[in-house]
Amino acid sequence: MTPLDLPASASIVYTRRMKNFEKRRDRYELFSAFENPLVNINFLLDVPDFRPWCKQQGIPVFHFFLYCVLNTVKQSDNFMYRIYEGEVIRIDDFPASYTVINADDNLNYTRFEMTDQLDLFISRSLEAKRIAEASAKLINTGTGESVREQRHNIFITSLPWLDLRAIEHPVYRHGEADIPCISWGKFGPGADGRMAVPFSVQAHHGFVDGYHIQQLAQAIAERIAAIIA
């Protein structure tokens, strides 16, 4: 969607946000010339231990963390830029999606409408999980969507069985890999009663620097702390 497609007030906001991108267009052009323009950083994400709070509230731990991650990404400007028809655009929303394992022990994809309302997010996430786990067919791959619609995505993978140290995601064409990939592994104990989450962020370096990944990590921790306080 471009400013011409938006109401006047939304068009002003869109234009202002694209001006933010123009400040780093030269960085984008630099990394876009690379055969592989991706930055991939793996680290231990330090967050408050939200598991006791989730237990008290009857909220599944994974889905609470997913809610915090996705809603933080949505408010992180650098993670919302995409490439469409050779030019940079900025998306304002995306569906929630993550991988599950179905009854055949094969990967499948969930997909549901994003919301910042926690209880509604949890219920939608659980229903999407039920559908994806029950399907032998690979679903929610974006088949049938336009190229423009397919830009509205964040790729989420969870490996709760592993003390994740690093991950490399499959890439169809490196030069067009504009959708951030976020992964995490098994939750572990941190210092002073906190949690250490093995965490990985892969993104186009034309949009995202290591500094922005650090900002995202800090904002996720702050969101969790504010909710469980």
Side-chain angles (χ1 to χ4, degrees), residues 44-219:
L44 285 177
L45 175 63
D46 174 62
V47 297
D49 190 345
F50 51 86
R51 290 170 295 187
W53 183 87
C54 286
K55 184 176 181 180
Q56 290 176 353
Q57 304 297 319
I59 294 175
V61 169
F62 166 81
H63 300 273
F64 173 78
F65 188 60
L66 178 73
Y67 166 88
C68 293
V69 169
L70 288 179
N71 277 282
T72 303
V73 168
K74 191 172 180 179
Q75 295 181 357
S76 303
D77 193 62
N78 292 75
F79 289 87
M80 301 295 282
Y81 294 113
R82 301 291 184 272
I83 305 169
Y84 176 61
E85 295 185 345
E87 187 49 89
V88 175
I89 60 172
R90 188 190 187 282
I91 64 171
D92 289 317
D93 57 11
F94 50 81
S97 179
Y98 58 94
T99 57
V100 299
I101 301 299
N102 69 5
D104 300 320
D105 291 335
N106 289 320
L107 169 146
N108 218 336
Y109 298 109
T110 66
R111 189 179 180 92
F112 60 97
E113 184 180 354
M114 272 285 291
T115 175
D116 60 2
Q117 184 178 331
L118 178 57
D119 58 347
L120 182 57
F121 183 98
I122 297 294
S123 64
R124 288 176 178 174
S125 184
L126 288 171
E127 176 62 10
K129 178 175 182 286
R130 183 192 67 78
I131 292 170
E133 287 179 336
S135 175
K137 181 181 178 181
L138 186 62
I139 60 175
N140 297 317
T141 61
T143 301
E145 295 180 346
S146 68
V147 175
R148 178 65 173 79
E149 290 171 334
Q150 291 174 2
R151 304 332 312 143
H152 288 249
N153 262 308
I154 299 290
F155 296 146
I156 299 289
T157 297
S158 173
L159 300 167
W161 325 276
L162 300 176
D163 183 12
L164 182 69
R165 298 302 174 94
I167 186 170
E168 182 175 351
H169 298 275
V171 176
Y172 187 64
R173 291 189 183 94
H174 278 97
E176 300 174 6
D178 56 344
I179 299 174
C181 299
I182 298 177
S183 309
W184 58 85
K186 181 168 60 176
F187 297 156
D192 301 321
R194 294 173 67 85
M195 284 177 59
V197 182
F199 205 76
S200 172
V201 178
Q202 177 177 293
H204 193 297
H205 209 342
F207 304 137
V208 174
D209 302 327
Y211 175 71
H212 303 115
I213 293 174
Q214 180 274 331
Q215 284 187 313
L216 178 70
Q218 182 177 352

Side-chain angles (χ1 to χ4, degrees), residues 21 24-38 88 175 204-207 209:
F21 166 73
R24 66 174 290 122
R25 180 174 285 278
D26 54 353
R27 281 76 166 178
Y28 167 74
E29 292 175 348
L30 169 68
F31 288 110
S32 291
F34 285 36
E35 183 177 339
N36 181 351
L38 300 178
V88 175
H204 193 297
H205 209 342
F207 304 137
D209 302 327

